[in-house]
Amino acid sequence: MTDVDYCVVGAGFAGLTAALRLRQAGHSVAVLEARDRVGGRTFTVTRDDGVWIDRGGAWIGPGQDRIYALMQEFGVPEYKQHNDGDAMMIVGGKKRRYGGKLPWSMSPWAVANLGIGLATIEQMCKALPRENPWDAADAAELDRTSIGDWLERNVLSRPAREMLDMALGGSYTSAASEVSLLWMLHQTGSGGGPTFVISGKGGSQDARPVGGMGAIYRPIVAELGDALHLSRPVRQISQDADGVTVSAEGLTIRARRVIVAIPMAIASSIVYEPTLPVDRAMLNQRMPSGAVIKISAIYGDAFWRADGLSGQSAAPGTPATLTIDACTDKGDPGIMCVITEGVAARRLTNLDESERRSIVIRELVDRFGEKARDPIEFHEQNWTLERYSGGGMISHTPTGVLTEFGHALRTPCGRVHWAGTESSTIMCGWIDGAIRSGERAAAEVVAAG
């Protein structure tokens, strides 16, 4: 058995940041990670020639001060997302190119519905209390309503409704009918509203770290040294009056307190002794993740730029729901990122690898021409099947969950403390939110002794 001051479960950005801050404050720490790698829902791979690919979370934007602080701490510069050229939207089989943030080539009726829908959501986000959205006057009604229900009632244009379904529900990689409107308003509002969520320049896809997310987490790993233990899935956490015993595969840690910084669905697989308070146990069971596949198609050059396209496209419900230019700061080679979400991702998952590749390439050719037919490399990361992620990019609450159990999101359970982007009141769902949650949890355990 190894004795330390504090134990951290999970080596994503929440857990790594918590451990880093504890180590920097002079405390001994052990980090237990189930995977054979760090990064959690971020995952940077680097080719022999130095070209890097982010197979998970990748983008940063204004207001994400804590990830920028980490980048400054470790000397990681940013570079701006390529946004020059037209974006593309495919709804109902119709392909439209457009400049700016809204697809003005849609019918005036659809554009009006889209604009009004976004403006309404923006105002609803601002009306929610950030710390405790479940206490809002209309929280019960908002939580009884799914995103899909709200769109059906309030957005009359079908094309606009499909676009908003993707824009507002896509982050949760599930059908809009599966996600609480209150959760969406809380999560979206924590980043400043829907305009921030869907925007490139000035929004949540404004920039990227040079070297990918790995350029940030690798120096943290170096600082933690032998405090980090990979391939150690935690099986049980037992607490008593004097501390906690954390039992992992082939390793047992004794500490004053433990920070659990893993996705909700995975946290529920750990045995807790004594059992968790009922509301926290129920919350763990009720915050699933969705289905998402992130693909990187690599070409000799970013040919779409020469064709006057930004590389951004949106096609709700298709096997290539979203595309975005994912080139490094050098510009070459050309890297096209394809994100498939929700129902479409689940359908793709049921096909074999060659079928998935063929279908996705067909979509890229349809949007970007024959040059897209023969990528040099094709990287597929199916987060849906990641055992220690539990599914898509972030967890969400179905209807009725947030008002009933939301108060347990950050509340410690004795000597067990919680971190993870879903618990952050600012930038909830982004990597920045994960970092904030890790810093909060680190301060929390130190204050508790």
Side-chain angles (χ1 to χ4, degrees):
M1 183 180 294
T2 302
D3 286 359
V4 295
D5 293 331
Y6 303 105
C7 182
V8 177
V9 179
F13 267 99
L16 289 174
T17 305
L20 175 69
R21 298 309 181 212
L22 289 168
R23 174 66 75 88
Q24 290 173 333
H27 302 287
S28 59
V29 63
V31 183
L32 304 179
E33 169 56 50
R35 297 178 175 91
D36 60 0
R37 63 171 183 84
V38 302
R41 289 174 279 190
T42 67
F43 181 21
T44 305
V45 295
T46 305
R47 303 194 319 185
D48 292 340
D49 61 1
V51 172
W52 43 268
I53 301 160
D54 274 320
R55 300 177 71 151
W59 282 270
I60 53 179
Q64 297 186 345
D65 302 333
R66 299 317 303 155
I67 192 167
Y68 275 109
L70 265 186
M71 290 167 64
Q72 184 175 14
E73 187 173 338
F74 294 113
V76 180
E78 69 165 357
Y79 72 102
K80 292 298 184 180
Q81 170 65 31
H82 175 80
N83 287 305
D84 295 342
D86 290 343
M88 193 182 303
M89 180 194 68
I90 302 98
V91 177
K94 295 181 179 179
K95 192 188 316 178
R96 297 178 174 89
R97 288 175 61 152
Y98 65 95
K101 292 182 179 180
L102 289 178
W104 298 107
S105 57
M106 295 171 68
S107 72
W109 170 244
V111 171
N113 271 252
L114 195 57
I116 292 170
L118 286 171
T120 303
I121 291 294
E122 198 95 40
Q123 292 305 311
M124 293 170 76
C125 287
K126 290 177 181 177
L128 276 188
R130 178 173 281 173
E131 295 282 337
N132 51 343
W134 44 86
D135 287 339
D138 56 350
E141 176 60 27
L142 294 173
D143 205 26
R144 280 195 297 267
T145 305
S146 72
I147 300 173
D149 289 337
W150 187 88
L151 290 172
E152 286 288 340
R153 296 173 193 164
N154 294 276
V155 181
L156 302 180
S157 162
R158 181 175 177 178
R161 190 163 61 245
E162 288 181 1
M163 290 297 290
L164 287 171
D165 184 313
M166 181 185 64
L168 301 175
S171 298
Y172 319 116
T173 58
S174 300
S177 60
E178 300 175 71
V179 183
S180 159
L181 178 63
L182 181 64
W183 171 260
M184 184 274 288
L185 294 172
H186 162 62
Q187 188 271 323
T188 301
S190 76
T195 301
F196 176 81
V197 173
I198 66 174
S199 295
K201 185 176 181 180
S204 60
Q205 291 91 42
D206 181 72
R208 296 178 68 187
V210 174
M213 288 297 162
I216 308 173
Y217 63 62
R218 279 191 288 268
I220 301 178
V221 169
E223 288 214 15
L224 293 176
D226 61 7
L228 175 64
H229 305 273
L230 299 179
S231 301
R232 302 289 188 179
V234 170
R235 308 302 187 193
Q236 182 168 318
I237 297 174
S238 302
Q239 58 176 313
D240 53 48
D242 300 316
V244 294
T245 301
V246 183
S247 302
E249 190 79 28
L251 182 67
T252 301
I253 302 292
R254 181 69 180 174
R256 296 181 205 166
R257 295 178 179 273
V258 60
I259 297 171
V260 178
I262 56 179
M264 296 285 198
I266 306 305
S268 66
S269 68
I270 297 173
V271 175
Y272 299 88
E273 293 290 350
T275 57
L276 295 175
V278 64
D279 284 2
R280 179 66 203 202
M282 294 289 182
L283 181 66
N284 281 354
Q285 295 172 14
R286 286 163 169 75
M287 285 195 70
S289 298
V292 62
I293 303 172
K294 185 174 183 182
I295 292 166
S296 299
I298 304 180
Y299 300 91
D301 66 314
F303 57 84
W304 51 90
R305 296 184 181 183
D307 293 339
L309 293 167
S310 67
Q312 294 181 32
S313 71
T318 71
T321 317
L322 299 165
T323 68
I324 187 168
D325 183 311
C327 297
T328 72
D329 55 308
K330 306 299 184 186
D332 288 322
I335 305 176
M336 178 64 74
C337 170
V338 180
I339 299 174
T340 307
E341 302 170 339
V343 176
R346 297 202 297 266
R347 289 173 181 158
L348 269 189
T349 298
N350 288 325
L351 304 177
D352 65 35
E353 184 178 352
S354 62
E355 287 178 299
R356 288 196 298 272
R357 176 180 170 128
S358 176
I359 288 170
V360 170
I361 293 295
R362 192 183 311 141
E363 290 282 341
L364 293 178
V365 170
D366 182 62
R367 293 175 210 184
F368 301 108
E370 281 299 317
K371 292 177 183 177
R373 189 171 298 282
D374 296 306
I376 300 167
E377 297 177 34
F378 190 88
H379 299 262
E380 178 185 273
Q381 186 73 25
N382 192 340
W383 291 96
T384 317
L385 302 179
E386 278 269 326
R387 176 177 296 176
Y388 297 113
S389 291
M393 295 174 280
I394 62 173
S395 303
H396 65 270
T397 64
T399 55
V401 173
L402 198 56
T403 47
E404 193 71 26
F405 305 109
H407 65 90
L409 263 171
R410 291 177 293 276
T411 305
C413 300
R415 294 177 178 272
V416 179
H417 299 252
W418 308 100
T421 187
E422 293 86 357
S423 70
S424 183
T425 59
I426 301 173
M427 295 295 167
C428 168
W430 286 276
I431 299 167
D432 181 82
I435 293 166
R436 290 173 188 271
S437 77
E439 291 179 330
R440 170 191 52 77
E444 198 175 87
V445 296
V446 171

